[in-house]
Structures are given as C-alpha cells and as structure tokens.
C-alpha cells in the first residue's frame, strides 16, 4: 500500500510539472476585442477563458477543458481537447474537436474519439474550411478528414513536434524543438515540406524558465501584421519573427521568470499570453503591445477571485 501511495504521489507531481513546462499557448481576439485563451493550469484539466478588456470582465467559458491551442475561423473558436481518462492505460482518453460560436454561445462537436490513431487533440491545426484537421502523434503528422478516414500526411518522423498551425493560404506550419536546434517547417501539397529556419532555440540560454534542456521548447506559432510567422520559445523567453528568406529576428522578450506562450495580432496590437515559473507556477497573464511589440497594458489575472487585478 505504501508503494502504491508513493507511486500516486510521484505521478501527481510529474503531471503538475509537465503542465508547468508545457502550458497552453492558444490565444485569439474577436472582432469585439474580446480575448479568448486556453489555460491548462486551472479548474481541473483546464479552462477556456474570455476577457472583455473594456469592462475587465473575466468569464470561464468551459472548465475541465484541456486544450493547448485554439483558433479563430469565420468568427468561431476552433479547439481540440486531449483529456486523459483516469485509470486507463496509455493510449486511451477522450479526444474532441469542436467549434464555439461566441456571439450566440453555441458549441458544436465536430469529432469525438477514444482512438488516438484516429485523432489526438493535443497538437493540431485545421484547414480554413474546417473539412480537414492535422494532428501530431508518434512523431508524425496525420491528416483527418471530418468526412472520412485518417491518413499519415508525411512519411517523415520528426524529432519533437511542438506546434502546428495553418495560415490564410492553408499552408501548414510545423515546429520541431529538437531538429537542428529548433526548426520551423512549412508544408503544402504543391511544394511539399520546406525547412524555413533552423537554430531557433539557443543551446546555452542565459535565463531560461527551466534549466533542463528537455523542457526548453517551442510553444505557439502565429503571424504578424505582414503574415510572417511568429514563433514563441521558452529558452530565451522570446518571440521570433521569420521572413520569407528565413531571416530570424527577435521581436519580444519576456521579463525574468516569464515566457511568451502564444501571440495574436489584431487591429494594430499584439496580444501576448505569458506564463512563468519561480518555484511555483505563474500566470497566465496577457500583455497588450503596440505594433512594435512595446507593452502598453498588462492584464494580470486573479484566478482565485476570477477577475483582473
């Protein structure tokens, strides 16, 4: 019995530390200026939050919501959930893909499965017409047609797929935290897989959130006002912009003990979600910046009171 209790304790703290090292990065802003972001650290398995920056109203849209990425497509939030089924063996759990129309607060489930080979909801991206979804599993990228079967998209096995996303032209963007010290890829059916930039994660960072190299990784991929990809990473705690030539520029750095997870551009502002770690979990919090990534407002959240401080 003592060995069993010790195992449960070790598993518990292992899950907590993994969540701190691998937080959510999904953040979007709708046409009304309301901010939606995913958070795996509060309310059981996690929460989808909504902030109205004008009224400072904070609302938990869904709880027990374990999502890392969310998208805004056609004024609907698209999210996927990979929810561990307690007591089951590795490879079993609830995986959902759904869309949420925030104006009428309607939720539609697009896909549900317990089969990780059919769909796994942790790292995913969706086509703009919502007919296809890409997801990462067993170091490969798979394509799931919502009207058909799942197929492996590429024969290639990646080292560590961190994030997937699609752009306005339906190109698929991929980050691999381990390949060539951190690589950004782009894939399309016309051009295949292209390495855009390498060495995006420093190997000897000065003040990383976590000292362990296996916890130094990419978080989100987004796009700036010109459509260039923005990649967040927690080793140097930075957002990096990459142009069509593969040139890399660091455009934002977080304060000590904080790291950018997700970033979203809307109407001349960037909305940056940060989390941190300093002997305990910090955040998430939202930094609103100008067009040059200069912070103009910090939305610091009191999760216990469910309000902005």
């Amino acid at each position: 019995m003592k060995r069993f209790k010790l195992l449960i304790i070790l598993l518990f703290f292992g899950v907590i530390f993994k969540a701190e090292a691998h937080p959510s990065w999904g953040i979007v802003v709708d046409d009304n200026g309301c901010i939606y972001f995913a958070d795996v650290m509060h309310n059981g398995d996690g929460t989808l939050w909504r902030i109205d920056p004008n009224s400072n109203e904070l609302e938990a849209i869904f709880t027990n919501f374990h999502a890392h990425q969310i998208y805004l497509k056609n004024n609907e939030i698209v999210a996927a959930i990979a929810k561990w089924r307690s007591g089951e063996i590795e490879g079993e759990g609830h995986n959902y893909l759904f869309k949420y129309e925030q104006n009428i607060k309607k939720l539609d489930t697009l896909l549900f499965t317990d089969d990780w080979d059919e769909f796994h909801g942790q790292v995913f991206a969706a086509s703009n017409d919502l007919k296809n979804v890409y997801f990462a599993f067993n170091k490969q990228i798979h394509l799931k047609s919502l009207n058909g079967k799942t197929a492996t998209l590429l024969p290639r096995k990646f080292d560590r797929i961190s994030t997937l996303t699609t752009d306005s032209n339906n190109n698929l963007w991929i980050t691999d935290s381990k390949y060539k010290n951190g690589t950004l890829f782009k894939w399309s059916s016309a051009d295949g897989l292209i390495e855009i930039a390498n060495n995006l994660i420093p190997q000897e960072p000065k003040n990383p959130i976590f000292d362990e190299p296996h916890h130094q990784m990419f978080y989100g991929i987004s796009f700036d006002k010109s459509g260039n990809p923005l990649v967040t990473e927690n080793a140097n705690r930075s957002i990096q912009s990459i142009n069509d030539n593969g040139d890399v520029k660091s455009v934002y750095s977080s304060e000590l003990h904080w790291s950018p997870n997700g970033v979203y551009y809307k109407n001349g502002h960037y909305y940056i979600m940060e989390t941190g770690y300093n002997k305990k979990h910090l955040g998430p919090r939202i930094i609103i910046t100008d067009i040059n990534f200069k912070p103009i407002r910090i939305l610091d959240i009191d999760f216990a009171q469910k309000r902005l401080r």
Side-chain angles (χ1 to χ4, degrees):
M1 180 62 71
K2 289 183 178 180
R3 292 178 63 184
F4 177 75
K5 290 181 178 179
L6 177 60
L7 177 60
I8 293 298
I9 292 170
L10 291 174
L11 286 173
F12 172 79
F13 283 105
V15 169
I16 292 295
F17 188 77
K18 182 178 180 181
E20 289 170 341
H22 193 221
S24 297
W25 53 85
I27 179 171
V28 299
V29 182
D30 69 13
D31 291 340
N32 298 318
C34 293
I35 304 165
Y36 293 80
F37 66 97
D39 164 30
V40 296
M41 293 304 300
H42 296 93
N43 296 318
D45 285 331
T47 311
L48 176 65
W49 296 100
R50 174 188 178 273
I51 298 176
D52 186 327
N54 297 313
S55 66
N56 288 339
E57 177 187 359
L58 176 68
E59 180 183 1
I61 301 296
F62 297 112
T63 58
N64 288 315
F65 171 96
H66 193 85
H68 290 271
Q69 177 64 301
I70 60 174
Y71 300 99
L72 190 64
K73 294 181 181 290
N74 301 320
N75 208 38
E76 296 175 318
I77 294 172
V78 178
I81 295 176
K83 187 173 182 180
W84 180 258
R85 194 163 64 191
S86 179
E88 298 293 345
I89 62 173
E90 179 73 19
E92 294 188 359
H94 300 317
N95 293 275
Y96 295 88
L97 177 72
F98 64 82
K99 62 180 181 179
Y100 175 72
E101 213 296 306
Q102 64 270 35
N103 290 331
I104 61 175
K105 297 186 177 181
K106 179 184 178 183
L107 178 69
D108 289 326
T109 300
L110 303 177
L111 173 65
F112 167 74
T113 181
D114 281 337
D115 184 354
W116 291 14
D117 291 318
E118 181 183 6
F119 176 68
H120 188 255
Q122 181 166 301
V123 178
F124 87 105
S127 63
N128 293 327
D129 59 9
L130 296 183
K131 292 183 178 180
N132 297 303
V133 59
Y134 306 93
F135 68 97
F137 183 61
N138 280 342
K139 298 188 176 183
Q140 287 186 287
I141 298 171
H142 308 275
L143 175 64
K144 166 65 177 176
S145 169
L146 295 188
N147 294 321
K149 298 180 179 180
T150 299
T152 301
L153 182 70
L154 298 168
R156 178 193 181 110
K157 282 209 169 186
F158 294 82
D159 290 358
R160 185 178 186 179
I161 301 171
S162 296
T163 318
L164 305 175
T165 197
T166 53
D167 61 23
S168 58
N169 295 317
N170 264 330
N171 296 306
L172 178 67
W173 295 83
I174 307 150
T175 55
D176 187 326
S177 292
K178 296 303 179 184
Y179 182 72
K180 293 184 179 179
N181 299 331
T183 297
L184 174 68
F185 296 91
K186 181 172 75 171
W187 177 88
S188 68
S189 58
D191 300 324
L193 187 68
I194 302 171
E195 289 185 26
I196 300 298
N198 308 115
N199 298 303
L200 297 176
I201 295 181
Q203 298 307 290
E204 295 182 0
K206 293 182 179 179
N207 294 293
I209 294 294
F210 302 104
D211 292 329
E212 300 87 348
H214 63 281
H215 286 313
Q216 296 169 6
M217 66 184 79
F218 292 118
Y219 288 142
I221 311 172
S222 187
F223 302 96
D224 67 14
K225 62 182 179 64
S226 301
N228 295 317
L230 299 170
V231 177
T232 61
E233 56 84 23
N234 71 352
N236 262 359
R237 313 184 326 278
S238 73
I239 300 175
Q240 300 181 65
S241 174
I242 300 98
N243 65 19
D244 290 339
N245 297 321
D247 299 324
V248 181
K249 179 182 179 181
S250 181
V251 293
Y252 178 86
S253 295
S254 293
E255 298 175 352
L256 190 65
H257 305 307
W258 290 89
S259 177
N261 299 353
V263 56
Y264 192 82
Y265 174 76
K266 185 75 172 183
N267 295 336
H269 295 89
Y270 290 99
Y271 296 78
I272 301 169
M273 178 167 61
E274 294 186 330
T275 60
Y277 190 77
N278 184 21
K279 297 184 180 179
K280 65 178 182 178
H281 177 76
L282 304 174
R285 69 180 186 180
I286 310 298
I287 312 293
I288 304 176
T289 79
D290 65 14
I291 199 68
N292 297 311
F293 289 93
K294 180 181 178 180
I296 57 178
R297 187 179 179 190
I298 298 176
L299 303 182
D300 194 12
I301 303 166
D302 184 335
F303 288 99
Q305 300 296 323
K306 295 184 179 180
R307 61 179 176 82
L308 299 183
R309 290 190 176 94

